[in-house]
Amino acid sequence: MRQAEIVRETKETKVRLAVNLDGTGRVAISTGIGFFDHMLDLLARHARFDLEVQAEGDLHVDFHHTTEDVGIVLGQAVKRALGDMRGITRYADLHLPMDETLTRVALDISGRPFLVFRTEFKVGKIGEFDTELVREFFQAFAINAGVTLHVETLYGDNAHHIAESCFKGLARALRTAVAIDPAMAGEIPSTKGALGG
């Protein structure tokens, strides 16, 4: 089973996260941030990852550190669970509709971290959650997972729908990209013979 567990503790947060890339979408998530828990839940369910997240952070300050640090640890855990990446599909892209919103996500599990995030919110908050933290999570995840990730919302009005389309788009792209391709027969999907760098 491709799985990993990581504990990361700083003066601002303590995060324990476990992921199984070959799971069924079972989740146990508690970050203290309701909207963020909802996004992580649907990410895991649509990626078909088993995901456990227990995060304690300085929420009396704001939600930034907790959101970013969960993104860091999730990225690290996915990278560790992938190992040498033999046999993975590697690439995925899709358009994800959410009512009036349409978001495009493209992913390359390349070992070369990069994020292009072209999504704008017309409001600053979804409930108590700062919408700018959506990008912070994606940035932290992409850099620490070592993936090239492009997220672009083509159109949309409702901030909840926009955020949800981004998370669900990432989930479905991950589900495809981490899947084992039987035609690869255990090969590393790169002409270099290695991914990264």
Side-chain angles (χ1 to χ4, degrees), residues 4-123:
E5 181 172 351
I6 294 178
V7 176
R8 181 178 189 269
E9 188 167 359
T10 70
K11 291 182 179 179
E12 298 165 340
T13 65
K14 180 177 181 180
V15 179
R16 187 194 71 79
L17 185 148
V19 66
N20 177 359
L21 304 184
D22 302 304
T24 60
R26 291 185 294 111
V27 297
I29 297 169
S30 177
T31 67
I33 306 169
F35 179 76
F36 189 41
D37 287 356
H38 175 47
M39 293 297 105
L40 293 172
D41 180 277
L42 61 85
L43 191 158
R45 291 180 190 276
H46 287 276
R48 299 291 287 173
F49 293 172
D50 292 341
L51 181 63
E52 296 179 16
V53 181
Q54 181 68 43
E56 299 173 10
D58 54 357
L59 303 184
H60 63 284
V61 176
D62 63 12
F63 297 163
H64 185 282
H65 297 141
T66 301
T67 303
E68 181 179 34
D69 288 4
V70 169
I72 289 170
V73 178
L74 179 59
Q76 292 172 344
V78 168
K79 184 175 184 178
R80 184 179 295 177
L82 281 167
D84 65 6
M85 306 181 208
R86 288 184 185 277
I88 65 168
T89 301
R90 179 176 168 177
Y91 296 100
D93 68 279
L94 70 144
H95 289 78
L96 198 294
M98 180 72 187
D99 294 347
E100 86 295 343
T101 298
L102 184 65
T103 295
R104 174 171 53 211
V105 177
L107 175 67
D108 176 11
I109 302 178
S110 60
R112 297 186 307 276
F114 200 88
L115 175 70
V116 175
F117 192 82
R118 295 181 178 168
T119 292
E120 295 182 5
F121 293 91
K122 297 177 181 179
V123 297

